[in-house]
Amino acid sequence: MTAMTTGAPVTGSTRADTAARGSATGGGGPFVYVMLCLLLLFALGPLVIFVFSALKTQSELATSPLSVPLTPQWHNFVTAWQQANMSAGLLNSLIVVAGTVAGVCVIAGCAAYAMARLDLPGAGTFTTYLLVTSSLPTQMFLVPLFYLWTRLNLYDTLFGLIVVYWGLFSPFATLLLRSFMLGIPRELEEAARIDGAGELRVLFRVILPIAAPGFLTIALVTALASYNEFLFAVTFIQDSAKLPVSTAFFSFQQGFSQDYTLFGAAGVIMVLPMLLLFLALQRRFIEGVSTSGLGG
C-alpha cells in the first residue's frame, strides 16, 4: 500500500514534467518549421541560382537569370576547368591551405596555452592587442608588406603568401583557442605534474588531446578563410602558375565582357571542396565552437 501511494506521485510528476517539457519545446511548432524553411531557402537559394547559372548559355542567362536551365550546358564545367587551369589553382590552394593551417595551429596553440595557463605579466595587454589586431582592416597592411616582402625575396612565392596568412589568421585563432583552454580543469594538469610530468609533457599529453576539438575548429576556420582569400593572393602572387584557385575568375574576363556562365561553373568547382570538408567535419566544428564559449 505504501509502495503504491509513494509511487503514484512520482509517476504523476514525471508525466507532468514530460508534458511541460513537450509543450515548452513544441509550442509554436509550425512557426518554428516555417522559420527553419525560410532560413534554409535563404542559405541555399544563392547556391542553387549559382548552379543554374553554370548550366545555362549566355543568352538564356540574360533572358531568364533565375529560371531552371532548359538544356543544361554541362560542358561549361569542362571549359571553365581548362580555361582557368583550375587543376594548378586547386593544387596551389591546397599547398597554401595546408601550410597556413599547420602554421596557425602551432602559433595559436603555443600562444593560447601560454595565455591560458602560464602566469604572464600583462596578460590582459596581450588579449587587448589580439582583439585590436583582429579588428583592423587588412588593406592597411598591403603597402608595407609589399615593400618588405620585395626586400626579403618573399614576393611572388607561395611561402610568402602563407606567412602573410599566418599573421592574418593567428590572432583570432589564438583568442578562440585560449577561451577553449580556459575551460579545461586545472586539476588534470596538477595530477600530471604530481606524477612527474614537465611543462611540455603536460602540454602534449594532457592539454592537446583534450583541446583537439578546438584545434579542429581553428583549422577549419583558417582553411576556409585562406582558401577564399583574394586580396592578398592577387597582390602577392603574379606568376600565373602559382595563383591559387580564388583568382581563377580573372580567366573569364575578355576586354570589357565577361562570361558569367563560366563564372558560375568555376564558382561551383571552387565551392565543392570546402563544402564537402565542412559537411564531413561539421559536428566537430559545432562542438568546438560551443565548447569554446563562442556559441552563445
Side-chain angles (χ1 to χ4, degrees):
M1 189 68 175
T2 305
M4 292 178 61
T5 55
T6 55
V10 174
T11 306
S13 61
T14 303
R15 291 177 179 174
D17 293 341
T18 305
R21 286 195 298 267
S23 62
T25 57
F31 176 76
V32 171
Y33 284 115
V34 169
M35 290 302 299
L36 289 177
C37 290
L38 291 176
L39 289 175
L40 179 64
L41 182 63
F42 177 79
L44 295 183
L47 184 59
V48 172
I49 296 175
F50 210 44
V51 175
F52 286 170
S53 301
L55 295 175
K56 294 179 181 179
T57 62
Q58 281 277 65
S59 58
E60 185 181 2
L61 180 62
T63 55
S64 55
L66 301 180
S67 63
V68 179
L70 299 177
T71 55
Q73 306 294 315
W74 298 103
H75 62 84
N76 285 342
F77 293 98
V78 179
T79 304
W81 181 274
Q82 296 174 349
Q83 184 172 331
N85 194 16
M86 298 195 72
S87 58
L90 286 172
L91 178 60
N92 294 332
S93 291
L94 177 62
I95 296 173
V96 171
V97 168
T100 303
V101 168
V104 168
C105 284
V106 173
I107 296 171
C110 295
Y113 178 75
M115 295 175 63
R117 285 297 187 261
L118 303 181
D119 295 328
L120 297 178
T125 305
F126 287 108
T127 304
T128 305
Y129 170 77
L130 292 177
L131 288 172
V132 172
T133 53
S134 299
S135 61
L136 290 176
T138 57
Q139 291 83 356
M140 65 183 300
F141 303 116
L142 278 178
V143 175
L145 275 177
F146 185 86
Y147 175 77
L148 181 61
W149 258 226
T150 304
R151 297 290 299 270
L152 296 176
N153 295 323
L154 291 175
Y155 180 74
D156 202 18
T157 63
L158 293 180
F159 179 72
L161 183 62
I162 290 172
V163 174
V164 172
Y165 288 165
W166 288 351
L168 284 179
F169 305 133
S170 291
F172 174 76
T174 301
L175 291 174
L176 192 151
L177 200 57
R178 172 184 172 272
S179 63
F180 188 93
M181 288 184 177
L182 287 175
I184 300 177
R186 290 182 177 269
E187 290 78 7
L188 300 176
E189 305 167 49
E190 295 173 358
R193 290 190 178 93
I194 291 175
D195 292 337
E199 202 65 43
L200 289 178
R201 193 170 183 180
V202 170
L203 173 63
F204 286 105
R205 294 294 183 89
V206 179
I207 299 298
L208 293 186
I210 301 176
F215 276 96
L216 183 60
T217 302
I218 66 170
L220 186 55
V221 171
T222 302
L224 289 171
S226 58
Y227 184 82
N228 295 323
E229 204 282 324
F230 176 81
L231 179 61
F232 284 90
V234 77
T235 302
F236 286 87
I237 301 293
Q238 293 298 315
D239 189 354
S240 59
K242 299 177 183 177
L243 287 173
V245 73
S246 60
T247 62
F249 293 112
F250 278 130
S251 304
F252 310 123
Q253 184 173 352
Q254 300 175 354
F256 295 100
S257 63
Q258 296 176 342
D259 193 337
Y260 291 101
T261 60
L262 296 184
F263 273 159
V268 172
I269 296 174
M270 288 175 54
V271 166
L272 280 178
M274 289 294 105
L275 180 62
L276 295 176
L277 178 64
F278 180 79
L279 290 177
L281 302 176
Q282 62 174 333
R283 182 172 298 178
R284 296 278 186 176
F285 173 73
I286 295 173
E287 176 187 351
V289 172
S290 60
T291 309
S292 66
L294 299 181

